[in-house]
Amino acid sequence: VNGKVAVYGIPLDSATTETKGTVLLKSAADLKNYNDSEEAALEKIIKAIAATGVNMIVCGQAVGELALHFCEKHKIMVMKCPSKFELRRICRTTGASTLVRMEPPTPEDIGSCSHVHVREIGSTMCTIIEQEGEEGSQVATIVVRGSSPNIMDDVERAIDDGVNVIKAMTRDARFLPGAGGAELRLADALQQYAEAQPGLDQYAINKYGLALEVVPRTLAENAGLDAANIVAALYAAHKAGKNNAGINVVDARVDADTGVLDLLWTKKEAIRQATDAAVTVLRVDQIIMAKPAGGAKKADQPAM
């Protein structure tokens, strides 16, 4: 409770020199003094860390047994986290900074959390770092559980889509009717616009409008409906002034208001990128195929 967190990206163990050295020991007393000096130096560092108020250390590399002993002696919890990605998430959650030297952290480098505990989730022991209060945390973990990998993949995609929608709403919070309604409305408007254009441009505009029918048509086919009848009914609903009409895949019909909304920014970017891809393909006027050099291959010689 009320944890003060220090994050280290180096091994939590006795410091080693950058160059190799030789120590000449003449007696058992010299060996004992040498070991005691190493232990005293490590305990001094751990004691200095504890003196700053830190009661939890997160280490990104190996943790020595001697360092673990002194952390236990000074009532410091130690957690090993070899993943750099997870280490960055812990830093964002607690507000700590990753230290690259074995030294006591400054007050600016120390993070904080409300509660740290271990809980078993689906036969897996998980260390949970909780943040409570008004400030909260910048990072949240969503645990997805299901009876099969396919179900968990579907739930994960749904969560990812929802989070991305919220993220995109910070740019533009406007929405459009979903369930194929917006695409069919654009297809109808483009076909009407094409009829008023002179020359050959009207054919290109008309085909562009017809291409937008693929969204409601595919939606109907995936729901096991008659795509031709559904698209025709959707056209009729839009002609009657029902601008929010869409495909109700549950009741297998066209409703005036399905309650399904799509983000305008996402829809606009999808149409723009699809248009750019089509234009790029149409600009290709020559295809050069690479063939192996060296001319014709010699015929195989008959075996003697």
Side-chain angles (χ1 to χ4, degrees), residues 190-201:
L190 284 172
Q191 291 177 55
Q192 293 181 11
Y193 177 75
E195 293 176 357
Q197 301 303 310
L200 298 177
D201 291 344

Side-chain angles (χ1 to χ4, degrees), residues 10-296:
I10 56 175
L12 189 64
D13 205 348
S14 301
T16 57
T17 58
E18 296 181 358
T19 58
K20 294 182 178 180
T22 303
V23 179
L24 181 61
L25 303 174
K26 297 182 179 180
S27 63
D30 292 343
L31 179 60
K32 185 176 184 303
N33 292 333
Y34 180 76
N35 291 334
D36 290 344
S37 64
E38 278 193 335
E39 293 180 8
L42 183 58
E43 184 179 11
K44 182 180 178 181
I45 295 174
I46 300 297
K47 186 177 180 180
I49 294 174
T52 61
V54 171
N55 52 18
M56 178 180 180
I57 293 178
V58 180
C59 184
Q61 297 188 31
V63 180
E65 294 183 359
L66 189 59
L68 195 61
H69 164 70
F70 288 127
C71 288
E72 178 68 23
K73 179 180 178 181
H74 293 281
K75 306 299 181 182
I76 298 177
M77 177 182 178
V78 179
M79 184 179 75
K80 181 180 176 182
C81 182
S83 171
K84 292 183 178 180
F85 172 74
E86 295 295 339
L87 205 64
R88 288 194 296 266
R89 285 172 58 88
I90 292 174
C91 290
R92 290 187 61 189
T93 302
T94 61
S97 300
T98 305
L99 302 176
V100 294
R101 294 181 61 185
M102 184 56 65
E103 60 184 10
T106 62
E108 292 78 15
D109 295 331
I110 299 176
S112 62
C113 62
S114 302
H115 191 205
V116 181
H117 58 99
V118 178
R119 182 187 302 174
E120 183 178 1
I121 301 177
S123 71
T124 302
M125 302 303 294
C126 302
T127 303
I128 299 176
I129 301 175
E130 294 182 352
Q131 287 282 26
E132 298 176 356
E134 297 180 356
E135 296 182 358
S137 172
Q138 296 182 358
V139 179
T141 301
I142 300 175
V143 180
V144 178
R145 302 179 66 183
S147 58
S148 66
N150 292 334
I151 293 177
M152 289 190 290
D153 290 341
D154 292 339
V155 174
E156 184 180 358
R157 281 193 294 267
I159 294 173
D160 186 63
D161 292 342
V163 171
N164 288 331
V165 167
I166 298 298
K167 183 178 178 181
M169 283 177 61
T170 59
R171 302 180 182 180
D172 191 344
R174 292 178 292 176
F175 285 83
L176 291 174
E183 288 81 5
L184 204 78
R185 178 67 175 167
L186 286 173
D188 189 19
L190 284 172
Q191 291 177 55
Q192 293 181 11
Y193 177 75
E195 293 176 357
Q197 301 303 310
L200 298 177
D201 291 344
Q202 60 177 316
Y203 299 105
I205 299 172
N206 185 64
K207 286 296 183 181
Y208 186 90
L210 291 175
L212 292 172
E213 290 184 4
V214 70
V215 175
R217 191 177 297 276
T218 304
L219 184 62
E221 290 176 352
N222 290 342
L225 307 178
D226 189 342
N229 293 335
I230 290 293
V231 171
L234 202 54
Y235 267 117
H238 282 278
K239 293 290 187 182
K242 300 176 182 178
N243 297 330
N244 295 333
I247 303 173
N248 187 340
V249 297
V250 177
D251 299 331
R253 65 184 184 186
V254 174
D255 285 347
D257 189 0
T258 58
V260 179
L261 298 176
D262 290 333
L263 196 64
L264 172 62
W265 188 84
T266 305
K267 190 76 67 178
K268 181 174 65 176
E269 286 298 309
I271 294 176
R272 183 184 65 81
Q273 293 181 14
T275 303
D276 290 344
V279 171
T280 302
V281 173
L282 292 174
R283 285 176 178 171
V284 177
D285 57 355
Q286 186 177 9
I287 299 177
I288 301 175
M289 297 182 62
K291 295 183 179 180

